[in-house]
Amino acid sequence: MTTHFDAIIIGSGQAGPFLAVKLAAAGKQVALIERNVLGGTCVNTGCTPTKAMVACAKVVHTAREAAKYGVHVQSDISVSLAEIKARGDQIVQNSRHSLRKMLDNAKGCTVIYGQAQFISPHEVQVGDQTLEGDAIFINVGGRAAEPGLPGLKNVKHLTNSTVLQLTELPRHLIVVGGGAVGVEFAQIFRRFGCDVTLVEMKSALVHREDADASKLMGELFQQEGIRLRLGAECVSFSSLPDGVCVHVSCKSDEPEVHGSHVLLAMGRTPNTSDLGLQAAGVQTDAQGFIPVDDQLRTNVSHIWALGDCNRRGAFTHTSYNDFEIVAANLLDGASRRITDRIPVRATYSDPPLAQVGMTEEEARASGRELLIGKRPMTSVARAIEKGETFGFMKAIVDAKTRRILGATIFGVGGDEAIHCILSTMYADQPYTTLTHAVHIHPTVAELIPTLLGSLQPAR
Ligand SMILES: Cc1cc2nc3c(=O)[nH]c(=O)nc-3n(C[C@H](O)[C@H](O)[C@H](O)COP(=O)(O)OP(=O)(O)OC[C@H]3O[C@@H](n4cnc5c(N)ncnc54)[C@H](O)[C@@H]3O)c2cc1C
């Protein structure tokens, strides 16, 4: 038997559940299909559990540094990964529970658990049920990429999902991949007291970020005792009786890295290969991502793709914004577009690295005439008071239009402070709007007017 719905949503990531509720509130009959648990990557194996762990790692770090603040911890600091996991699990469960409640309260919305697969452009199979939808929204997200590196299949390795199941600290964790995910886990486990080696094929960590920030991230990690093996062009794996060996160089005389555990953080693969997209006529690119137009439509006009699987964003906030765009366009007659979005992101190292708009390198490559300002975090009163002066802030302005093109804040509170720059960019106001603004003292954001007041022509 086939059940008809106005809308079918595949995947309960960061767009699907909110779209389901909004469409149901508009009187549509909606099916939301989830093959695992509600909330997708962010809630279950991404943002939420990792930021909970970042908070625990910060506590350990602060406890170790306590004497610098005149606070003396009387006993040794010990870390219980089982208790840290239990704390994170609780936060995750609460978040999942709120989603469940939100969906239960949405009249007209049916949640169906199971693997969804297209069998025709309007039909989706879930177990023995066939659902027919006038409109179909794909929000299937991604999973940790497992590249075909030599030996990888023969060694036990962790991903962002399985590492969260550990209840005992690894003796020596080898993290392969120096992007945001790898960097976060490397610092977390180092602060928990593990030996950590971070292997990265490029010559720098977070290599897509501002070059000064990327270099400084390497310095921070070395200060914290994380061993770096950068420029590891030939990565391969083999088993050891008590762990894993990671070969990191094409030259045979370069030392190998021996560890107890290896964590892969080498990018994400979209969950599209088992969706039956061919039956619906939905095209993918060579990596399996689903190309969409500026309003999130795939090449099939009644099928949309939202979130990480469309490669137009790789964050919770971009996936959620995809939902906002689709909902506004379909229900409110708006014509919102992905290209109206200003890129913004943070890497949750401690201190965090926040980026809005263009990096300095991207702005220089655009050929514009630039004004650039840079100030160290040692100029921020609040950072001094907190004893956390590592890092810098930088802003890049178009000299002709006086509009801010981008900014980097790698420092305490940077992930929050960056939003005043973001809002000015959305308002399409000149940078002088911010130099004239009075900010609260003492905050990290209060240095931003000073930063923008110190712009110099780029050399
Ligand atoms: C370790 C880590 C940390 C992160 N930290 C942050 C952060 O701090 N901030 C941030 O903005 N982003 C972060 N991200 C990225 C963020 O998690 C994703 O960008 C976000 O979850 C968007 O995902 P999505 O909406 O595309 O789908 P997802 O959240 O991936 O959810 C997709 C859902 O679809 C389901 N599904 C897949 N295929 C099918 C199918 N065929 N049938 C039924 N259901 C299906 C899956 O089970 C899943 O529940 C992090 C990612 C990782 C891995």
Side-chain angles (χ1 to χ4, degrees):
M1 203 183 88
T2 301
T3 317
H4 178 267
F5 290 91
D6 298 316
I8 296 174
I9 298 170
I10 306 175
S12 71
Q14 312 319 305
F18 307 99
L19 186 60
V21 169
K22 190 99 183 181
L23 289 170
K28 311 278 185 205
Q29 288 299 314
V30 184
L32 173 69
I33 310 166
E34 172 53 57
R35 69 176 175 192
N36 191 358
V37 286
L38 290 178
T41 307
C42 182
V43 168
N44 298 289
T45 58
C47 332
T48 305
T50 57
K51 266 79 262 181
M53 283 175 106
V54 165
C56 298
K58 175 82 176 177
V59 172
V60 182
H61 183 70
T62 307
R64 285 206 192 99
E65 303 269 300
K68 285 189 191 165
Y69 295 81
V71 177
H72 299 277
V73 179
Q74 295 304 338
S75 59
D76 284 347
I77 295 155
S78 71
V79 171
S80 161
L81 193 57
E83 287 172 49
I84 287 169
K85 176 180 181 303
R87 174 180 178 273
D89 288 350
Q90 190 59 58
I91 298 171
V92 166
Q93 265 174 36
N94 293 349
S95 184
R96 239 190 258 153
H97 179 69
S98 330
L99 267 181
R100 178 81 240 188
K101 235 166 94 180
M102 178 184 87
L103 290 164
D104 284 348
N105 289 336
K107 205 165 149 265
C109 173
T110 309
V111 178
I112 299 168
Y113 287 95
Q115 165 81 28
Q117 212 171 16
F118 283 96
I119 51 171
S120 78
H122 280 282
E123 287 172 303
V124 172
Q125 189 78 35
V126 189
D128 54 9
Q129 296 183 66
T130 304
L131 319 182
E132 186 188 43
D134 296 339
I136 303 183
F137 304 90
I138 302 170
N139 180 216
V140 290
R143 60 186 184 281
E146 305 233 351
L149 294 171
L152 180 60
K153 280 208 167 82
N154 305 324
V155 297
K156 259 174 79 175
H157 54 271
L158 299 163
T159 65
N160 67 289
S161 304
T162 52
V163 73
L164 299 171
Q165 299 310 317
L166 295 180
T167 49
E168 282 180 29
L169 290 172
R171 176 175 45 79
H172 181 171
L173 179 68
I174 306 171
V175 178
V176 184
V181 172
V183 158
E184 288 176 20
F185 278 120
Q187 194 184 37
I188 288 169
F189 280 96
R190 179 63 195 144
R191 287 185 167 190
F192 287 168
C194 306
D195 279 340
V196 175
T197 303
L198 204 163
V199 175
E200 165 57 50
M201 292 179 167
K202 295 276 191 291
S203 58
L205 299 179
V206 286
H207 67 93
R208 289 196 185 89
E209 301 293 345
D210 172 273
D212 290 339
S214 163
K215 186 164 167 280
L216 207 58
M217 187 70 82
E219 289 175 27
L220 172 72
F221 273 32
Q222 275 171 328
Q223 276 175 29
E224 295 210 5
I226 296 168
R227 275 169 259 170
L228 298 180
R229 295 299 300 265
L230 303 176
E233 328 84 26
C234 292
V235 176
S236 63
F237 303 82
S238 58
S239 286
L240 294 171
D242 60 346
V244 187
C245 171
V246 182
H247 312 261
V248 294
S249 172
C250 307
K251 296 182 212 130
S252 54
D253 57 344
E254 289 270 328
E256 299 157 338
V257 185
H258 291 193
S260 57
H261 296 68
V262 64
L263 167 66
L264 278 197
M266 301 185 72
R268 309 283 295 165
T269 301
N271 292 324
T272 53
S273 59
D274 50 6
L275 251 185
L277 288 173
Q278 270 185 339
V282 174
Q283 285 164 4
T284 58
D285 67 14
Q287 284 77 41
F289 291 94
I290 305 173
V292 290
D293 66 15
D294 217 7
Q295 301 193 326
L296 287 315
R297 255 181 231 264
T298 68
N299 64 302
V300 179
S301 65
H302 68 276
I303 302 179
W304 286 253
L306 300 86
D308 290 8
C309 70
N310 65 27
R311 209 181 217 167
R312 302 295 286 269
F315 302 100
T316 286
H317 47 275
T318 47
S319 180
Y320 188 82
N321 183 236
D322 285 356
F323 140 67
E324 292 177 314
I325 293 170
V326 169
N329 294 349
L330 290 181
L331 300 174
D332 306 335
S335 49
R336 292 181 63 176
R337 299 173 306 175
I338 309 179
T339 44
D340 291 336
R341 183 152 83 200
I342 297 170
V344 65
R345 59 182 178 270
T347 298
Y348 288 92
S349 48
D350 178 39
L353 163 55
Q355 175 67 42
V356 61
M358 295 182 188
T359 61
E360 180 179 341
E361 293 68 36
E362 288 164 346
R364 284 185 187 274
S366 76
R368 291 175 171 90
E369 201 183 314
L370 304 177
L371 300 172
I372 300 183
K374 187 176 172 192
R375 306 286 289 203
M377 290 302 285
T378 48
S379 306
V380 179
R382 190 67 190 278
I384 295 167
E385 288 144 12
K386 287 183 170 218
E388 299 184 59
T389 53
F390 185 91
F392 67 89
M393 54 174 80
K394 184 193 277 188
I396 298 119
V397 167
D398 185 315
K400 288 213 172 85
T401 64
R402 296 157 75 84
R403 297 299 190 270
I404 301 170
L405 296 173
T408 307
I409 307 182
F410 186 13
V412 60
D415 53 331
E416 301 289 348
I418 199 97
H419 287 93
C420 70
I421 296 184
L422 178 65
S423 299
T424 310
M425 291 172 75
Y426 270 114
D428 194 19
Q429 291 300 304
Y431 75 91
T432 43
T433 308
L434 267 173
T435 57
H436 297 171
V438 179
H439 286 192
I440 297 168
H441 173 76
T443 57
V444 173
E446 83 175 320
L447 201 78
I448 290 173
T450 313
L451 170 75
L452 291 166
S454 70
L455 295 170
Q456 296 292 324
R459 272 179 268 135

